[in-house]
Amino acid sequence: MTQAQLAGWRDRLLADWARIREELIGQLKASRQGDWAERASHCERDQLVDLTSRLDLPQVEQNVTALKRIDATLCQIELGLFGLCSDCEEPLNLTKLEQDPTQQRCPRCELRYRKGFHGHEL
């Protein structure tokens, strides 16, 4: 993968991050969690993941999960590991990365992960 491609992925993820962050802050305000919304609006990327991980609000769960996935992917880019399975380090399918750049595992390792931690198969 070229540096230009990586920069494109990073820009795409940062744009998604900003959009989801704003949705999350709006959800917090709407759920009368003004203090959390205020804190979230002043957080850096890693701080926001920590802060929102402590929330137990079903209405924001999907956005919190998305922020965690994006943060993990941005960290992989920074470490030079983007596009590799986080378990076996084999290259991930680029077509599938286009569909979901936050995927962390190849199909084989994803299946093993789900069996081991979730007790069911895909």
Side-chain angles (χ1 to χ4, degrees):
M1 199 170 301
T2 68
Q3 290 299 320
Q5 288 172 313
L6 281 175
W9 287 107
R10 185 176 187 281
D11 291 347
R12 175 180 170 186
L13 290 162
L14 288 172
D16 287 348
W17 172 269
R19 179 185 49 77
I20 293 168
R21 177 183 171 272
E22 291 306 313
E23 285 178 19
L24 176 63
I25 290 169
Q27 289 172 322
L28 290 171
K29 287 178 181 175
S31 65
R32 297 192 175 109
Q33 300 293 324
D35 287 348
W36 286 102
E38 182 65 26
R39 289 183 206 167
S41 67
H42 297 292
C43 286
E44 296 294 324
R45 193 178 86 214
D46 58 339
Q47 295 169 326
L48 185 60
V49 170
D50 281 345
L51 177 72
T52 57
S53 293
R54 292 184 250 149
L55 295 174
D56 187 26
L57 298 170
Q59 63 269 37
V60 301
E61 189 174 319
Q62 185 176 359
N63 279 335
V64 170
T65 299
L67 289 178
K68 288 179 183 179
R69 290 176 61 95
I70 292 170
D71 186 58
T73 304
L74 288 167
C75 288
Q76 285 179 317
I77 290 172
E78 291 166 10
L79 294 171
L81 299 172
F82 177 72
L84 300 177
C85 175
S86 63
D87 293 344
C88 72
E89 297 185 6
E90 289 294 318
L92 297 174
N93 181 299
L94 287 178
T95 303
K96 290 186 179 182
L97 273 177
E98 278 290 337
Q99 295 169 358
D100 179 11
T102 66
Q103 69 175 302
Q104 298 289 311
R105 294 177 180 84
C106 67
R108 185 183 66 229
C109 290
E110 182 66 28
L111 182 60
R112 272 191 260 166
Y113 173 81
R114 289 184 184 255
K115 279 184 178 180
F117 295 102
H118 301 289
H120 61 80
E121 292 186 29
L122 295 173

